[in-house]
Amino acid sequence: MADAPEETVDIEALEHEGDVAADYIEGLLDIADFDGDIDMDVEGDRAVVSVVGATLDELIGNEGEVLEALQELTRLAVHRSTGNRSRLMLDIGGWREGRRTELRKVGSEAAEEVKKSGEAKALEPMTPFERKVVHDAVADAGLTSESEGEEPYRYVVVLPAD
């Protein structure tokens, strides 16, 4: 079986996206009079900007909804500057990393439940970020999953093995 052609990742372009995003977030923090340090990295095929070092719960919001909104605004700022659609990930105070750990557990546990029952299992609605983490955890457990429904009520269904 031939491998699919590998997409090349333009690290320089992603670093530029991260720089634009970091400047934008820094401006927002200044306006709102919040303290925090900004870290920029590239993970896989996306720039990741993290705000660390302060209590920033107000910027995360209930279940991350403020963080999601800030990420979309930051992506728009990057798009305005670069002309390219951004897949940038914004994290504040390590919230996404903690959520990623929780979601891996949700996906693994759902996969185990489906393996035992042989029945498909629908999970609660999730953001695209959350669904991606769950899909990956289900795949790691050896099962498949799919997303169903319409935003913002889109959810993951874990499927039994054939």
Side-chain angles (χ1 to χ4, degrees):
M1 183 168 129
D3 290 335
E6 195 174 308
E7 285 188 38
T8 57
V9 177
D10 187 344
I11 300 296
E12 206 170 287
L14 292 175
E15 287 174 344
H16 178 64
E17 278 187 23
D19 289 339
V20 171
D23 289 345
Y24 179 76
I25 292 295
E26 190 169 10
L28 286 178
L29 291 175
D30 287 346
I31 290 168
D33 199 27
F34 283 111
D35 291 326
D37 295 323
I38 298 174
D39 291 336
M40 199 289 294
D41 199 3
V42 172
E43 290 179 9
D45 62 349
R46 67 172 56 184
V48 179
V49 175
S50 301
V51 181
V52 296
T55 304
L56 301 166
D57 293 341
E58 298 93 339
L59 296 178
I60 297 168
N62 186 32
E63 297 185 26
E65 76 267 352
V66 175
L67 173 57
E68 289 292 328
L70 287 172
Q71 177 175 277
E72 286 308 309
L73 288 172
T74 305
R75 285 177 174 175
L76 286 171
V78 169
H79 180 264
R80 188 182 67 224
S81 174
T82 66
N84 296 320
R85 184 176 177 275
S86 175
R87 295 186 61 240
L88 175 119
M89 175 86 56
L90 176 65
D91 194 8
I92 296 176
W95 187 85
R96 280 198 197 277
E97 197 50 49
R99 186 75 178 127
R100 186 177 278 133
T101 299
E102 291 173 23
L103 291 164
R104 281 189 195 113
K105 184 177 178 186
V106 167
S108 296
E109 288 175 354
E112 289 308 311
E113 189 177 321
V114 169
K115 283 179 183 178
K116 287 179 185 169
S117 73
E119 307 261 331
K121 178 173 176 72
L123 303 176
E124 295 296 315
M126 298 176 191
T127 66
F129 159 76
E130 292 170 328
R131 291 193 309 271
K132 168 81 168 94
V133 174
V134 171
H135 284 306
D136 290 348
V138 169
D140 289 347
L143 292 181
T144 59
S145 57
E146 56 189 31
S147 292
E148 294 184 4
E150 298 294 323
E151 295 293 355
Y153 305 105
R154 203 154 163 77
Y155 58 95
V156 173
V157 178
V158 181
L159 304 170
D162 292 332

